[in-house]
Amino acid sequence: MPKTWFEWHDLYNTDPKLQQRLQIVREYMDNSLDVSPPGIIRVVSVCAGDGRDLLGTLASHPRTKDVYGRLVELNPELAERGKAAVESAGLSKQLEFVNGDATNSSSYIGVVPADIIIVCGIFGNLASEAELKRLIGNLPVLAKKGSFAIWTRGHSDGIAHSETVRKVFREAEFEEVSFKLTQTGDMGVGIHRYSGEGLPLSQNQQLFEFSGVPDKYNSLSVAK
Ligand SMILES: C[S@@+](CC[C@H](N)C(=O)[O-])C[C@H]1O[C@@H](n2cnc3c(N)ncnc32)[C@H](O)[C@@H]1O
């Protein structure tokens, strides 16, 4: 069992569910860049880990030169690894990898509204459906009409938690663009498009509470 979120990322080397999820997230990222209008494409990644989803996509996408944004991650080792990856990809003028609190609205000052918001590996780390509603209800402070949100949600104990996520997005002015389950059948990945007008970003607003811990993750049955 991983003791830290840094160790948790090693599961990407062995866990088919995480590997398949990453592949779908990158595919959605790729599609959203493909359909972005000419000009700058702003991206924010909330609880970014080491940024492998975004950076993996940008490694080969023709719109990479247009992508600007911020990745926010609390774990210092992951942020360090992410920064190094941004530098070695030659993207440090475009992407900021911030070691900070992604639950605090101030972390996004200067980079929103974003065209693409990555919220992967978060929904399974919220305490309740009410907290999920709070987070999705607050995404409009990062968004504008037409913004994409790319997300993941694992299933556990036979409960298809991703269905709840789809419902909450629907109720919050987000239209589903695509949804897929991993081949393992127990991890949902979705991309939704915001149809509202966005909300103003205020300082120091708590957008959600991340309450999950890495050692609860079980690659066989409990998915984040
Ligand atoms: C399940 S991992 C997902 C990482 C990445 N998004 C991915 O899908 O590979 C959750 C991440 O959230 C980070 N995290 C937890 N609380 C956070 C906070 N308040 N602000 C920023 N990151 C946070 C953890 O350190 C961890 O890297």
Side-chain angles (χ1 to χ4, degrees):
M1 287 291 177
K3 292 190 195 63
T4 65
W5 286 115
F6 186 75
E7 287 180 16
W8 178 90
H9 280 68
D10 290 343
L11 292 171
Y12 273 114
N13 300 327
T14 52
D15 181 3
K17 176 169 57 187
L18 276 187
Q19 292 166 347
Q20 292 162 16
R21 150 181 143 169
L22 178 61
Q23 200 175 2
I24 302 171
V25 169
R26 285 180 177 164
E27 176 192 321
Y28 285 164
M29 198 60 229
D30 215 71
N31 295 345
S32 54
L33 293 175
D34 286 345
V35 299
S36 291
I40 287 178
I41 306 168
R42 289 200 186 280
V43 180
V44 293
S45 182
V46 181
C47 299
D50 59 11
R52 67 183 67 202
D53 40 19
L54 176 60
L55 294 170
T57 307
L58 296 184
S60 59
H61 199 280
R63 296 296 305 276
T64 297
K65 62 181 180 344
D66 297 325
V67 174
Y68 286 79
R70 188 175 295 159
L71 302 93
V72 186
E73 167 56 45
L74 196 59
N75 178 292
E77 290 170 286
L78 286 168
E80 211 44 57
R81 189 154 80 187
K83 269 182 214 167
V86 166
E87 270 166 36
S88 67
L91 295 172
S92 32
K93 292 209 168 75
Q94 296 165 240
L95 295 179
E96 278 175 89
F97 213 114
V98 173
N99 182 205
D101 183 3
T103 71
N104 186 313
S105 61
S106 294
S107 295
Y108 305 97
I109 291 172
V111 280
V112 294
D115 300 288
I116 302 170
I117 303 162
I118 306 170
V119 273
C120 294
I122 301 176
F123 295 161
N125 289 297
L126 306 175
S128 61
E129 188 173 329
E131 198 54 29
L132 176 72
K133 283 184 178 160
R134 173 158 79 131
L135 169 47
I136 292 178
N138 279 328
L139 287 180
V141 306
L142 309 181
K144 62 185 179 185
K145 200 185 204 52
S147 299
F148 292 104
I150 300 173
W151 58 271
T152 63
R153 178 62 166 110
H155 298 176
S156 55
D157 303 325
I159 303 168
H161 295 293
S162 58
E163 290 307 312
T164 308
V165 176
R166 297 170 85 183
K167 175 182 72 103
V168 173
F169 266 118
R170 255 195 319 274
E171 291 166 357
E173 294 190 284
F174 282 84
E175 287 156 19
E176 188 166 287
V177 178
S178 178
F179 171 79
K180 287 186 185 179
L181 281 178
T182 53
Q183 280 171 0
T184 58
D186 55 355
M187 174 67 75
V189 186
I191 176 163
H192 277 71
R193 197 152 205 193
Y194 180 55
S195 59
E197 296 299 332
L199 290 173
L201 179 80
S202 43
Q203 289 193 15
N204 284 322
Q205 180 192 350
Q206 183 163 27
L207 303 174
F208 63 100
E209 183 182 357
F210 187 106
S211 49
V213 286
D215 62 3
K216 287 274 159 50
Y217 184 88
N218 177 333
S219 53
L220 292 176
S221 61
V222 182
K224 295 296 181 197

